[in-house]
Amino acid sequence: MNDRVREILSWYDSDNPGTLTNLARLMNHGRIAGTGHFVILPVDQGFEHGPARSFAANPSGYDPRYHFDLAIAAGCNAYAAPLGFLEAGAAEFAGEIPLILKLNNSDSLTPGSDPCPALTGSVDDAIRLGCVAIGFTIYPGSTARNEMFGELRELTIESKRKGLAVVVWSYPRGSGVSKEGETAIDVVGYAAQIACQLGAHIVKVKPPTAHIEQAAAKKVYEKERIPIATLAERVRHVVQWAFNGRRIVIFSGGEAKETSAIFEEVRGIRDGGGFGSIIGRNSFQRPRKEALDFLGQVMDIYAGKK
Amino acid sequence: MNDRVREILSWYDSDNPGTLTNLARLMNHGRIAGTGHFVILPVDQGFEHGPARSFAANPSGYDPRYHFDLAIAAGCNAYAAPLGFLEAGAAEFAGEIPLILKLNNSDSLTPGSDPCPALTGSVDDAIRLGCVAIGFTIYPGSTARNEMFGELRELTIESKRKGLAVVVWSYPRGSGVSKEGETAIDVVGYAAQIACQLGAHIVKVKPPTAHIEQAAAKKVYEKERIPIATLAERVRHVVQWAFNGRRIVIFSGGEAKETSAIFEEVRGIRDGGGFGSIIGRNSFQRPRKEALDFLGQVMDIYAGKK
Amino acid sequence: MNDRVREILSWYDSDNPGTLTNLARLMNHGRIAGTGHFVILPVDQGFEHGPARSFAANPSGYDPRYHFDLAIAAGCNAYAAPLGFLEAGAAEFAGEIPLILKLNNSDSLTPGSDPCPALTGSVDDAIRLGCVAIGFTIYPGSTARNEMFGELRELTIESKRKGLAVVVWSYPRGSGVSKEGETAIDVVGYAAQIACQLGAHIVKVKPPTAHIEQAAAKKVYEKERIPIATLAERVRHVVQWAFNGRRIVIFSGGEAKETSAIFEEVRGIRDGGGFGSIIGRNSFQRPRKEALDFLGQVMDIYAGKK
Amino acid sequence: MNDRVREILSWYDSDNPGTLTNLARLMNHGRIAGTGHFVILPVDQGFEHGPARSFAANPSGYDPRYHFDLAIAAGCNAYAAPLGFLEAGAAEFAGEIPLILKLNNSDSLTPGSDPCPALTGSVDDAIRLGCVAIGFTIYPGSTARNEMFGELRELTIESKRKGLAVVVWSYPRGSGVSKEGETAIDVVGYAAQIACQLGAHIVKVKPPTAHIEQAAAKKVYEKERIPIATLAERVRHVVQWAFNGRRIVIFSGGEAKETSAIFEEVRGIRDGGGFGSIIGRNSFQRPRKEALDFLGQVMDIYAGKK
Amino acid sequence: MNDRVREILSWYDSDNPGTLTNLARLMNHGRIAGTGHFVILPVDQGFEHGPARSFAANPSGYDPRYHFDLAIAAGCNAYAAPLGFLEAGAAEFAGEIPLILKLNNSDSLTPGSDPCPALTGSVDDAIRLGCVAIGFTIYPGSTARNEMFGELRELTIESKRKGLAVVVWSYPRGSGVSKEGETAIDVVGYAAQIACQLGAHIVKVKPPTAHIEQAAAKKVYEKERIPIATLAERVRHVVQWAFNGRRIVIFSGGEAKETSAIFEEVRGIRDGGGFGSIIGRNSFQRPRKEALDFLGQVMDIYAGKK
């Protein structure tokens, strides 16, 4: 095992060897294995946004096996999905790619501005399906904070006892933050900090903008002249907030957009010391060949080849 | 065992042989055994709508044994009911028809526009009564989503460990959907997707209309020109949304209506690749002889004889 | 054992012999043993209404032993009470009368229009006290429905595994029903159906009035011309709704009233095929001698002697 | 379901509907479904006698799938085997034949004249593999009686709670019986009685000889002039000892022997009111085609066609 | 994943995807990954034989980390050891090699000719240490058979539920077999069959000799003219006895001996269709460089390069 992977594992030395093993599996799989970087395919949009918005653009994606195959062929580090999608391929593709079971999910049919996802799977589902980690979404800023954090607390301690890693999607949302604030640099960094404090091994946030949401934070940024002009600077800043870089922080790809814009963003993440990307719609909504080419290029950027 | 049954079982290869056995029992029983199609008799209306609206039209239905006998004589694949109704016949009719225990139920005495059924039975009840599956209703769009999904999550993992199949009634309802939206094509398909993601083996939805509820979905339908003019097209679409046809989707019969209209609907379901029908009121509210003839004709349509 | 008792037991053939034995004990005890009729003494009013309203009229009733003695002397089929009252006499009167432990109770100190009784005892308490059954109250129509039904679900499966019978007090109440609707014929029948579906062996409801609460039900009554003019007709109707007479339905005595009115009511219940009465206040609030005479006459009515 | 099956089920009315359902499945499957007779294929000889003595004569039998296929193709009522053999086919053949998991087994490597098989599987294995019953061997006459009977006691109560049937192989052996006594009429009948008393639903014994082992028994046979000259008489006698014919008693085929001798024996069993045969070596040690023909003829004898 | 690995996994289709994943991890790791062959380093001799006989020849072996490093550097498929040895390196080497936790062990201080190893670890230890499998030793022929088989029965069902693979060391020993019989072809094959019937995924036996121990078996070998002259023939025979080659059988290296003799033996195992070797003393008692060269050559033989 190369030194970078060992170094990253050393940050998690309170965890048992089972969890370390699964973190190592994530880092040692796929095209950029061993670099300490991550490119993960997540497909929970069928649940979260509905099938139409998710799969109509590339109908192959209606078939759960398509995403296993895509993630494997592309050489992703892992594939993350809700219970049903993993059950529909875990036996057929056993051992071919590390799996992350998303244990909570929202849908767009349920009203309410303060989101609180439903529990949709169990740690023992992750165990029986051979997963390396659980995934869990929290919405800091939602009035349902206590319910979400409390659920995560229980899933986290169970996962760590059973040797799994914990990946937290930390998305500020709800009545506590403005729409613009959801991606504000101070709020994204804060969300990363919260996920780390809750015991996450890997934190997923959105690429932050230069907007500053909280007045109290704004004063500090100005006083300390914290550089946040470029994405790389902002990523560096978020990574610093995630225990000074001693927790793995990865960034979501967001809505489908132009390929060159994504590559630019990925370079920013890489240059700022971000650990990787978790790219759903921009992967599986393209035709397979195009998606493989796209993901390959993203991985090459992280591997320092582009 | 014929090839179609084996093919369907192959979609569930993450499940243990116990669950596969019970899925096979469902498919290998009754008049259309082995076709991969399903006609199931569900009788939970006494609980859900009250006895008057359910059984007064054909008072034989007050007797729980009547429904066992009807389902057996008609050659249905299974009979589904709440705890009390199954307890009242499970010993007498042991081994004569696969049973599905409905584990949650609503009643029409309790007020509220965002439904959340009560738990009314346990997985171990299903085991001691010799059932092949549990049944569970979710109402996507209800603000009580998290409670329902969370309950299903626990019942599902227990059922799968104990070798039972999981049948989910997925009915959009509540403040997140309009009345018209409850049967909108996009919403019904979304409801099917959600049930599959929650780990259902068999999903029951209502026959969808051509209405599109969600603005974001509407754009996709128009852009991708998804055909939804006929019921067959809409059923095909819903089946695609249920893991590209790799989960069993069956359709409810809804309120009592004219026989010819039902047969027309069943043909649409069949032509669209739907797996079958679950027909309650239109069966048990008719006189027995008429009901047997009616169910026989529905089965013949699925068997391709009409 | 006489044929009627055997016939009634045959309706419960999904239950184990332990539960059947306890049902038989209920039917084979007391003055009307073997008739398939029941007169039960329930004393939970000290908990539900407070001691003043319950026992001041006949202060002997403050002593828990009084009620054991009364039920035994009168030849009741059983005595039902909360944990404390049973603990205070179960040893002294061991083997003298079948006991039913009420496992939930409300009190009149707690405010709120949607009742949800508190759990006040356990199935294992019933076992250690030598009871033949548990008792449990549900309030269909209350917004707390799910909590009550969910609790009953767990107590029922445990009781049946441990060979006890399950007696459910099913009283519509709460924001889903009007005051008049609480005893409406359609609502009382619906409440009986719900209790049966939840797995009750014996259901206790209030004598229904000719009022019809639900509009949808009203249409059916009119269309099907269901006779509900006399109490006997209404009782017959409720019994039909309780699995076509294949579940034991008994009727509460309600508030203290004139003796002749009660006898009239009991005759109506008997003539309509009701299985018996459960009479608390009208028994223990009378002087002992009077109460014994009163209960004796009620039993004679059920035994067809009056 | 035909009357004979219903009649047999009526003997087991202390069992829950789950167990009745699985007993019905055994009786309603295969070529002689519905006759109340049984022909079961057991393959535990690989474990009990070693592979050489078991499978060398027909090497197809080394493959666990061979026996599933043989039992299915022959139309046996069930296939019984230890854990490993069932695991190796339960998914592939799910739903095609009722399975019985043998939960204890001996091997011929372990010394000792008082046999006590080892536990080799669990009730929860039977559940996850979709079995209808557990199988368990006892050796009355062995000094290890208490260990075996105690294990069976625990497995039986668990199986009955979980809706499985219990099949007991009751083979007198050990220091308490002579070699000749192992098949003595009094001892075989006694072994059947013991298995029934231990709660077995189905008992398997060896065809008894006319030898009488126990002196005390001999006196009774002589005094009462119990007819035991023919196999049919002896079978009738054993069946009588198994609760006067109210428990299912089936007979083992024993070592491979001439076909005509087996048919003669089967006729004797049938004529004496025996319920069927469980034939291992005489089935799977023949070439497949020959075995199918052989089993078919055995079934025809039980069906009264020969 | 290559076709051979997929084919092997298909034999275990009763297992959950978690167990399949761990079996795949074993096959997809190391120098001969993907060939379906195995070379495993086991180091339990410190426990079983004492440190002197185990590590004095190469004192590096006193350090538990030495063996992790050796197995990793050599490219073994897995490293197997008791609890203490794995705990001493599992964190440091997390993710670098699949681990097998030996859950029972004997020591040479305890007297007795009928061995029964002590339980020395738990399935949850395997989980927290990130292992892919448990290991367990049985001694068929020992009078302590029932204790060993019974323990394995419980560990097996737990391991399979928790997604681990089960590796069984099956060594005939004890008063039921002679010294020569411990490696007799009939006894070794029988031992493989027993392990498979007990639910093992992978069975480890000793290379068999041409000796035949059991008289009853000898007759069969002679009658069927089973070829057992060469090691390859004998291995082929043992593999056939392990469910006709549908279970993974690997062979122990035994006592330290000349290198050329080992290579000869490995070629015999490979030519007979054996799945691999598990070589302890012959590996770790050599100097590291020599051991790496030695193991490399063994792997090359399995990979068909030599």
Side-chain angles (χ1 to χ4, degrees), chain E residues 20-75:
Chain E
L20 297 181
T21 298
N22 278 319
L23 282 169
R25 281 175 179 142
L26 276 169
M27 287 190 274
N28 289 332
H29 186 86
R31 185 163 167 161
I32 54 173
T35 62
H37 283 107
F38 295 77
V39 174
I40 294 174
L41 178 69
V43 190
D44 57 359
Q45 291 80 359
F47 201 128
E48 301 261 342
H49 305 156
R53 286 165 55 196
S54 305
F55 306 127
N58 177 18
S60 305
Y62 289 120
D63 187 333
R65 294 174 305 167
Y66 177 77
H67 306 288
F68 279 90
D69 172 72
L70 180 62
I72 294 164

Coordinates of all heavy atoms in Angstrom, one line a residue, chain E residues 20-75:
Chain E
L20 N -20.6 -13.3 -0.6 CA -20.1 -13.5 -2.0 C -19.0 -12.4 -2.2 O -18.0 -12.7 -2.8 CB -21.2 -13.2 -3.0 CG -22.3 -14.3 -3.0 CD1 -23.4 -13.9 -4.1 CD2 -21.8 -15.7 -3.2
T21 N -19.2 -11.2 -1.7 CA -18.2 -10.2 -1.8 C -16.9 -10.6 -1.1 O -15.8 -10.4 -1.7 CB -18.7 -8.9 -1.2 OG1 -19.9 -8.5 -1.9 CG2 -17.7 -7.8 -1.2
N22 N -17.0 -11.2 0.0 CA -15.8 -11.6 0.7 C -15.1 -12.8 0.1 O -13.9 -12.9 0.0 CB -16.1 -11.9 2.2 CG -16.1 -10.5 3.0 OD1 -15.2 -9.7 2.7 ND2 -17.0 -10.4 3.9
L23 N -15.9 -13.7 -0.5 CA -15.3 -14.8 -1.3 C -14.6 -14.2 -2.5 O -13.5 -14.6 -2.9 CB -16.4 -15.8 -1.7 CG -16.8 -16.8 -0.7 CD1 -18.1 -17.5 -1.2 CD2 -15.7 -17.8 -0.3
A24 N -15.2 -13.2 -3.1 CA -14.5 -12.6 -4.3 C -13.2 -11.9 -3.9 O -12.2 -11.9 -4.6 CB -15.5 -11.6 -4.9
R25 N -13.3 -11.2 -2.7 CA -12.0 -10.6 -2.3 C -10.9 -11.6 -2.1 O -9.8 -11.3 -2.4 CB -12.3 -9.9 -0.9 CG -13.1 -8.6 -1.1 CD -13.4 -8.0 0.3 NE -14.1 -6.7 0.1 CZ -15.1 -6.3 0.8 NH1 -15.6 -7.0 1.8 NH2 -15.7 -5.1 0.6
L26 N -11.2 -12.8 -1.6 CA -10.2 -13.8 -1.4 C -9.6 -14.2 -2.8 O -8.4 -14.4 -3.0 CB -10.8 -15.0 -0.8 CG -10.9 -15.0 0.7 CD1 -11.7 -16.2 1.2 CD2 -9.5 -15.2 1.3
M27 N -10.5 -14.3 -3.8 CA -10.1 -14.7 -5.1 C -9.4 -13.7 -5.9 O -8.7 -13.9 -6.9 CB -11.3 -15.4 -5.9 CG -11.7 -16.7 -5.3 SD -12.9 -17.6 -6.3 CE -14.4 -16.8 -5.6
N28 N -9.7 -12.4 -5.6 CA -9.2 -11.3 -6.4 C -8.0 -10.6 -5.8 O -7.7 -9.5 -6.2 CB -10.4 -10.3 -6.7 CG -11.4 -10.9 -7.6 OD1 -11.1 -11.7 -8.5 ND2 -12.6 -10.4 -7.5
H29 N -7.4 -11.2 -4.9 CA -6.2 -10.6 -4.2 C -5.0 -11.3 -4.5 O -4.9 -12.6 -4.5 CB -6.4 -10.5 -2.7 CG -5.4 -9.7 -2.1 ND1 -5.4 -8.3 -2.0 CD2 -4.2 -10.1 -1.5 CE1 -4.3 -7.9 -1.4 NE2 -3.5 -8.9 -1.1
G30 N -3.9 -10.6 -4.7 CA -2.6 -11.2 -4.7 C -2.1 -11.6 -6.1 O -2.7 -11.3 -7.1
R31 N -1.0 -12.3 -6.0 CA -0.2 -12.7 -7.3 C -1.1 -13.5 -8.2 O -0.9 -13.4 -9.4 CB 1.0 -13.4 -6.8 CG 2.0 -13.7 -7.9 CD 3.3 -14.0 -7.4 NE 4.3 -14.6 -8.3 CZ 5.6 -14.7 -8.2 NH1 6.1 -14.1 -7.1 NH2 6.3 -15.2 -9.0
I32 N -1.9 -14.4 -7.7 CA -2.7 -15.2 -8.6 C -4.2 -14.8 -8.6 O -5.1 -15.7 -8.8 CB -2.5 -16.7 -8.3 CG1 -2.8 -17.0 -6.8 CG2 -1.1 -17.2 -8.6 CD1 -2.8 -18.5 -6.5
A33 N -4.4 -13.6 -8.3 CA -5.8 -13.0 -8.3 C -6.5 -13.4 -9.6 O -5.9 -13.3 -10.7 CB -5.8 -11.5 -8.1
G34 N -7.7 -13.8 -9.5 CA -8.5 -14.0 -10.7 C -8.4 -15.4 -11.3 O -9.1 -15.7 -12.2
T35 N -7.4 -16.2 -10.8 CA -7.3 -17.6 -11.4 C -8.2 -18.6 -10.8 O -8.3 -19.7 -11.3 CB -5.8 -18.1 -11.2 OG1 -5.6 -18.2 -9.7 CG2 -4.8 -17.1 -11.7
G36 N -8.8 -18.2 -9.7 CA -9.6 -19.2 -8.9 C -8.8 -20.1 -8.1 O -9.3 -21.1 -7.5
H37 N -7.5 -19.8 -8.0 CA -6.6 -20.6 -7.2 C -6.2 -19.8 -5.9 O -6.4 -18.5 -5.9 CB -5.3 -21.0 -7.9 CG -5.6 -22.2 -8.8 ND1 -5.6 -22.0 -10.2 CD2 -5.8 -23.5 -8.5 CE1 -5.9 -23.2 -10.7 NE2 -6.0 -24.1 -9.8
F38 N -5.8 -20.5 -4.9 CA -5.5 -19.8 -3.6 C -4.1 -20.3 -3.1 O -3.8 -21.5 -3.1 CB -6.5 -20.3 -2.6 CG -7.9 -20.0 -2.8 CD1 -8.7 -20.6 -3.8 CD2 -8.5 -18.9 -2.1 CE1 -10.0 -20.2 -4.0 CE2 -9.8 -18.5 -2.4 CZ -10.6 -19.2 -3.3
V39 N -3.4 -19.3 -2.6 CA -2.2 -19.7 -1.7 C -2.4 -18.8 -0.5 O -2.3 -17.6 -0.6 CB -0.9 -19.5 -2.4 CG1 0.3 -19.7 -1.4 CG2 -0.8 -20.4 -3.6
I40 N -2.6 -19.4 0.6 CA -2.9 -18.7 1.9 C -1.8 -19.0 2.9 O -1.3 -20.1 3.0 CB -4.3 -19.2 2.4 CG1 -5.4 -18.8 1.5 CG2 -4.5 -18.7 3.8 CD1 -6.8 -19.3 1.8
L41 N -1.4 -18.0 3.6 CA -0.5 -18.2 4.7 C -1.2 -18.3 6.0 O -1.9 -17.4 6.5 CB 0.5 -17.0 4.8 CG 1.5 -17.0 5.9 CD1 2.5 -18.1 5.7 CD2 2.2 -15.7 6.2
P42 N -1.1 -19.5 6.7 CA -1.7 -19.6 8.0 C -0.6 -19.7 9.1 O 0.4 -20.3 8.9 CB -2.3 -21.0 7.9 CG -1.3 -21.8 7.1 CD -0.6 -20.8 6.2
V43 N -0.9 -18.9 10.2 CA 0.1 -19.0 11.2 C -0.6 -19.1 12.6 O -0.8 -18.2 13.3 CB 1.1 -17.7 11.3 CG1 2.2 -18.0 12.2 CG2 1.6 -17.5 9.9
D44 N -0.9 -20.4 12.9 CA -1.5 -20.7 14.2 C -0.6 -21.6 15.0 O -1.0 -22.1 16.0 CB -2.9 -21.2 14.1 CG -3.0 -22.5 13.2 OD1 -2.0 -22.9 12.7 OD2 -4.1 -23.0 13.1
Q45 N 0.6 -21.9 14.5 CA 1.4 -22.8 15.1 C 2.0 -22.4 16.5 O 2.2 -23.2 17.3 CB 2.6 -23.2 14.2 CG 2.2 -24.0 13.0 CD 1.7 -23.1 11.8 OE1 1.6 -21.9 12.0 NE2 1.3 -23.7 10.7
G46 N 2.1 -21.0 16.6 CA 2.5 -20.5 17.9 C 1.6 -21.0 19.0 O 2.0 -21.3 20.1
F47 N 0.3 -21.0 18.6 CA -0.7 -21.5 19.6 C -0.7 -23.0 19.6 O -0.7 -23.6 20.7 CB -2.1 -21.0 19.1 CG -3.2 -20.9 20.2 CD1 -3.9 -19.8 20.4 CD2 -3.4 -22.0 21.0 CE1 -4.9 -19.7 21.4 CE2 -4.4 -22.0 21.9 CZ -5.1 -20.8 22.2
E48 N -0.7 -23.6 18.5 CA -1.0 -25.0 18.4 C 0.2 -25.9 18.8 O 0.1 -26.9 19.5 CB -1.3 -25.4 16.9 CG -2.6 -24.7 16.4 CD -3.9 -25.6 16.5 OE1 -3.7 -26.8 16.6 OE2 -5.0 -25.0 16.5
H49 N 1.5 -25.4 18.4 CA 2.6 -26.3 18.7 C 3.6 -25.6 19.7 O 4.5 -26.2 20.1 CB 3.5 -26.5 17.4 CG 2.6 -27.1 16.3 ND1 3.0 -27.0 15.0 CD2 1.5 -27.9 16.3 CE1 2.1 -27.6 14.2 NE2 1.2 -28.2 15.0
G50 N 3.3 -24.4 20.0 CA 4.2 -23.6 20.9 C 5.2 -22.8 20.1 O 5.6 -23.2 19.0
P51 N 5.7 -21.7 20.7 CA 6.6 -20.8 20.0 C 7.9 -21.5 19.6 O 8.4 -21.2 18.5 CB 6.8 -19.7 20.9 CG 5.7 -19.7 21.9 CD 5.3 -21.2 22.0
A52 N 8.4 -22.3 20.4 CA 9.7 -22.9 20.1 C 9.7 -23.7 18.8 O 10.5 -23.3 17.9 CB 10.1 -23.9 21.3
R53 N 8.8 -24.6 18.7 CA 8.8 -25.4 17.5 C 8.3 -24.6 16.3 O 8.6 -25.0 15.1 CB 7.7 -26.6 17.7 CG 8.2 -27.7 18.6 CD 7.1 -28.6 19.0 NE 6.4 -29.1 17.9 CZ 5.2 -29.7 18.0 NH1 4.5 -29.8 19.1 NH2 4.6 -30.2 16.9
S54 N 7.7 -23.4 16.6 CA 7.2 -22.7 15.4 C 8.2 -21.6 14.9 O 8.4 -21.5 13.7 CB 5.9 -22.0 15.9 OG 5.0 -22.9 16.4
F55 N 8.7 -20.8 15.8 CA 9.4 -19.6 15.4 C 10.9 -19.6 15.6 O 11.6 -18.7 15.2 CB 8.8 -18.4 16.1 CG 7.3 -18.3 15.8 CD1 6.4 -18.2 16.9 CD2 6.8 -18.4 14.5 CE1 5.0 -18.1 16.7 CE2 5.4 -18.3 14.3 CZ 4.5 -18.2 15.4
A56 N 11.5 -20.5 16.4 CA 12.9 -20.5 16.7 C 13.7 -20.6 15.4 O 14.8 -20.0 15.3 CB 13.2 -21.6 17.7
A57 N 13.3 -21.4 14.5 CA 14.0 -21.5 13.2 C 14.2 -20.2 12.5 O 15.2 -20.0 11.8 CB 13.4 -22.6 12.3
N58 N 13.3 -19.4 12.6 CA 13.3 -18.0 12.0 C 12.7 -17.0 12.9 O 11.5 -16.7 12.9 CB 12.6 -18.1 10.6 CG 12.6 -16.7 10.0 OD1 13.4 -15.8 10.3 ND2 11.6 -16.5 9.1
P59 N 13.5 -16.5 13.8 CA 13.0 -15.7 15.0 C 12.2 -14.5 14.6 O 11.5 -13.9 15.4 CB 14.3 -15.4 15.8 CG 15.3 -16.4 15.4 CD 15.0 -16.7 13.9
S60 N 12.3 -14.1 13.3 CA 11.5 -12.9 12.9 C 10.0 -13.2 13.1 O 9.2 -12.4 13.3 CB 11.7 -12.7 11.4 OG 13.1 -12.5 11.1
G61 N 9.7 -14.5 13.1 CA 8.3 -14.9 13.2 C 7.7 -14.7 14.6 O 6.5 -14.9 14.7
Y62 N 8.5 -14.4 15.6 CA 8.0 -14.1 16.9 C 7.1 -12.8 16.8 O 6.2 -12.6 17.6 CB 9.1 -13.9 17.9 CG 9.7 -15.2 18.3 CD1 11.1 -15.4 18.2 CD2 9.0 -16.2 18.9 CE1 11.7 -16.6 18.6 CE2 9.6 -17.4 19.3 CZ 11.0 -17.6 19.1 OH 11.6 -18.8 19.5
D63 N 7.5 -12.0 15.8 CA 6.8 -10.7 15.7 C 5.6 -10.9 14.8 O 5.7 -11.2 13.6 CB 7.7 -9.6 15.0 CG 7.1 -8.3 15.0 OD1 5.9 -8.1 15.0 OD2 7.9 -7.3 15.0
P64 N 4.4 -10.6 15.3 CA 3.2 -10.8 14.5 C 3.2 -10.1 13.2 O 2.6 -10.5 12.2 CB 2.0 -10.4 15.4 CG 2.6 -10.0 16.7 CD 4.1 -10.1 16.7
R65 N 3.8 -8.9 13.2 CA 3.8 -8.1 11.9 C 4.6 -8.8 10.8 O 4.4 -8.5 9.6 CB 4.4 -6.7 12.2 CG 3.5 -5.9 13.1 CD 4.1 -4.6 13.5 NE 5.4 -4.8 14.1 CZ 6.3 -3.9 14.3 NH1 6.1 -2.6 14.0 NH2 7.5 -4.2 14.8
Y66 N 5.6 -9.7 11.2 CA 6.4 -10.4 10.2 C 5.5 -11.2 9.3 O 5.7 -11.2 8.0 CB 7.3 -11.3 10.9 CG 8.2 -12.1 9.9 CD1 9.2 -11.5 9.2 CD2 7.8 -13.5 9.6 CE1 10.0 -12.3 8.3 CE2 8.6 -14.2 8.7 CZ 9.6 -13.6 8.1 OH 10.4 -14.3 7.2
H67 N 4.5 -11.8 9.8 CA 3.6 -12.7 9.0 C 2.7 -11.9 8.0 O 2.5 -12.3 6.9 CB 2.8 -13.6 9.8 CG 3.7 -14.4 10.8 ND1 4.6 -15.4 10.3 CD2 4.0 -14.3 12.1 CE1 5.3 -15.9 11.4 NE2 4.9 -15.2 12.4
F68 N 2.2 -10.8 8.6 CA 1.4 -9.9 7.7 C 2.3 -9.5 6.5 O 1.9 -9.6 5.3 CB 1.0 -8.6 8.4 CG -0.2 -8.7 9.3 CD1 -0.1 -9.0 10.6 CD2 -1.5 -8.4 8.8 CE1 -1.2 -9.1 11.4 CE2 -2.6 -8.5 9.6 CZ -2.5 -8.8 10.9
D69 N 3.4 -9.0 6.8 CA 4.3 -8.5 5.8 C 4.7 -9.6 4.8 O 4.7 -9.4 3.6 CB 5.6 -8.0 6.4 CG 6.7 -7.6 5.4 OD1 6.5 -6.6 4.6 OD2 7.6 -8.4 5.2
L70 N 4.9 -10.8 5.3 CA 5.3 -11.9 4.5 C 4.2 -12.3 3.5 O 4.4 -12.4 2.3 CB 5.7 -13.1 5.3 CG 6.1 -14.4 4.6 CD1 7.3 -14.2 3.8 CD2 6.3 -15.6 5.6
A71 N 3.0 -12.3 4.0 CA 1.8 -12.7 3.2 C 1.6 -11.6 2.1 O 1.3 -11.9 1.0 CB 0.6 -12.9 4.0
I72 N 1.7 -10.4 2.5 CA 1.5 -9.3 1.6 C 2.6 -9.3 0.5 O 2.3 -9.2 -0.7 CB 1.5 -7.9 2.3 CG1 0.2 -7.9 3.3 CG2 1.5 -6.8 1.4 CD1 0.3 -6.8 4.3
A73 N 3.8 -9.3 1.0 CA 4.9 -9.3 0.0 C 4.9 -10.4 -1.0 O 5.2 -10.3 -2.1 CB 6.3 -9.2 0.8
A74 N 4.5 -11.6 -0.5 CA 4.5 -12.8 -1.3 C 3.3 -12.8 -2.3 O 3.3 -13.5 -3.3 CB 4.4 -14.1 -0.5
G75 N 2.3 -11.9 -2.0 CA 1.1 -11.9 -2.8 C 0.2 -13.0 -2.5 O -0.5 -13.5 -3.5

